[in-house]
Amino acid sequence: PPLTGVSAQHGASLAPRNAVGKIDARMEEVHSIAISSSGELLAVGGQSTTVKVFDAETGESVFSLTGCLKAVNHVEISTDNTMLLAASSDHTARIWRLDTGRHLKSLTGHIGSIMVAKFNHDASRVFTYSQDRTIKVWDTQRGLCIKTLFMESSCHDFTLLDSAGSRIATAHVNNAVRIWDTASGKRVREATLHKEQVMSVWASATGTRILTNSYDGTLKLVSTDTLDVITVMSAPGYRPSRNWARASLSPDERYAMAGSIDGRLFVWDVNSGDLVRTLDIHKSAVCDALWHPTGMRVYSAEKSRYILILH
């Protein structure tokens, strides 16, 4: 089944022009941000052991979620906005209730830092990638690992290609993208799409296309059925940070956006591949940038603690 969400309910997304607000994450280094599908909450993970949750409209602190023993590498909010998931360097992924901030589950079993953690659409499953080169599939309610997929090379990121998470795409340090069947644990297809490491991978709403972002300075829109490249996007001076460099699609999938190591934010037209906008707005490398679910606002995070709100 295709992925569905708030993005399908809204019209055209905008390409941001300027910063209208700033959120101080109050941590030494930001790694990841997530926005609730309601658009009300913004979660931030980074060098701190605490996950910070802010009001996405006002930028005011809502609460902090504790329990991680080391840095938080990735944060995600479930589609129904009830749970928050964090991947930590302490080899554990943790789940909290988003209404009360109460800790629900700790998912343990990896033997390396967990770099990415994601819910499937109904949050019945959690998927985690660790530096132990495995992706684990977890039963959320029981907190138990039900499947382990063995990657042949290290990953930077992965994305779910359908609402259940039966297929995923992984972004690898050996310049490749791979598609996996999570039930069998088998690799379905693979292609070397870039000249350098693939830093991130983002799925379209239907899962038929993915957006890749590479250290070679290109983003590519790719068909998941064939791994054929549809569009190539690049810009003079665009170079992602080697550790944290997620590119995203706008809710209407008209634009792609990624931040550079020099603090600039770039926006491209996905269909033509043309550069639409360059914003020189950050003081340090951009690690994550996301559209608000309405497509009317953008949140752009720099490594040195600040998240900018853009219109």
Side-chain angles (χ1 to χ4, degrees), residues 59-76:
E60 290 177 13
S61 178
V62 178
F63 48 69
S64 297
L65 303 174
T66 59
C68 296
L69 305 177
K70 289 187 177 179
V72 175
N73 299 315
H74 189 262
V75 289
E76 176 155 302

Side-chain angles (χ1 to χ4, degrees), residues 217 233-239 260 262 264 266 268 275 278:
M233 291 155 273
S234 63
Y238 172 67
R239 186 78 160 174
S260 185
D262 64 2
R264 286 185 292 169
F266 294 80
W268 291 268
L275 181 67
T278 305

Side-chain angles (χ1 to χ4, degrees), residues 36 125 149 162 194 204 206 215 219 229-230 232 252 277-278:
S36 61
R125 297 286 182 268
L149 284 72
D162 55 50
H194 288 278
S204 65
T206 59
Y215 198 64
L219 285 72
V229 175
I230 302 163
V232 180
D252 65 357
R277 196 150 294 143
T278 305

Side-chain angles (χ1 to χ4, degrees), residues 8 14 22 46 60 82 88 99 104 114 118 120 122 170 175 184-186 196 199 201 209 222 237 252 268 287 294 305:
L14 60 77
K22 183 161 77 169
E60 290 177 13
T82 62
S88 175
D99 55 352
L104 287 178
I114 302 180
K118 299 190 176 185
N120 67 351
D122 67 4
T170 50
N175 315 346
S184 67
K186 295 283 194 298
E196 294 194 49
M199 309 306 298
V201 60
R209 304 188 299 177
V222 179
D252 65 357
W268 291 268
C287 58
T294 59
R305 93 183 246 174

Side-chain angles (χ1 to χ4, degrees), residues 143-156:
L144 296 175
C145 177
I146 54 176
K147 189 77 184 177
T148 300
L149 284 72
F150 296 92
M151 308 286 108
E152 288 129 41
S153 67
S154 296
C155 287
H156 280 297

Side-chain angles (χ1 to χ4, degrees), residues 13-27:
S13 302
L14 60 77
R17 289 187 178 276
N18 48 26
V20 295
K22 183 161 77 169
I23 297 171
D24 184 353
R26 298 182 184 87
M27 60 180 72

Side-chain angles (χ1 to χ4, degrees), residues 40-53:
E40 293 172 1
L41 297 176
L42 176 80
V44 184
Q47 203 55 44
S48 167
T49 57
T50 303
V51 177
K52 308 283 180 66
V53 181

